[in-house]
Amino acid sequence: MVDYFLYNERLGIPIPCFHQDWDDYSKETQQTVLFHWEKIRGRIPDRIAELEDHINSKQALLSNEENFIKSCELNSEIAELASIINDLWLWYRTHQDISEKVHM
């Protein structure tokens, strides 16, 4: 399965990395990839919760921060974490599109 997934440092999960069009893979390969993706996908909510904890910690720091530059840095870090969460939700929903193609 390593050939079909590549670890993404930013997201903290492996994501699909195909070397050809999805429809060019055999049905057996598609099913195997989908099974593996379901395992990865199942960990996404936990990864999101972890990032939300980081956001909450940074927001707590921000609420007491008096240094403007440090406040801007914290805001930027919070925005980046929120962006990662958004991307993780997009990947979480990706399965629906792929599985619909398999069943067609």
Side-chain angles (χ1 to χ4, degrees), residues 2-90:
V2 175
D3 293 340
Y4 302 106
F5 295 91
L6 184 63
Y7 186 78
N8 184 289
E9 290 288 332
R10 180 175 175 272
L11 300 179
I13 62 165
I15 57 173
C17 178
F18 303 129
H19 303 287
Q20 59 191 41
D21 287 337
W22 177 252
D23 294 331
D24 292 338
Y25 290 104
S26 70
K27 293 294 181 193
E28 181 180 288
T29 299
Q30 289 179 0
Q31 290 297 330
T32 302
V33 168
L34 284 173
F35 178 75
H36 191 70
W37 174 243
E38 276 302 306
K39 289 181 184 178
I40 294 168
R41 189 173 170 264
R43 295 192 311 256
I44 290 176
D46 292 335
R47 176 72 178 132
I48 290 171
E50 178 186 319
L51 294 170
E52 287 172 340
D53 287 344
H54 289 302
I55 287 175
N56 291 336
S57 297
K58 290 185 183 296
Q59 285 177 326
L61 291 172
L62 182 60
S63 68
N64 296 321
E65 186 57 58
E66 294 180 13
N67 182 305
F68 178 74
I69 293 174
K70 183 64 179 170
S71 293
C72 291
E73 290 171 0
L74 286 168
N75 269 321
S76 179
E77 292 169 10
I78 290 167
E80 176 59 18
L81 291 169
S83 174
I84 294 169
I85 288 172
N86 185 59
D87 290 348
L88 285 167
W89 279 123
L90 292 173

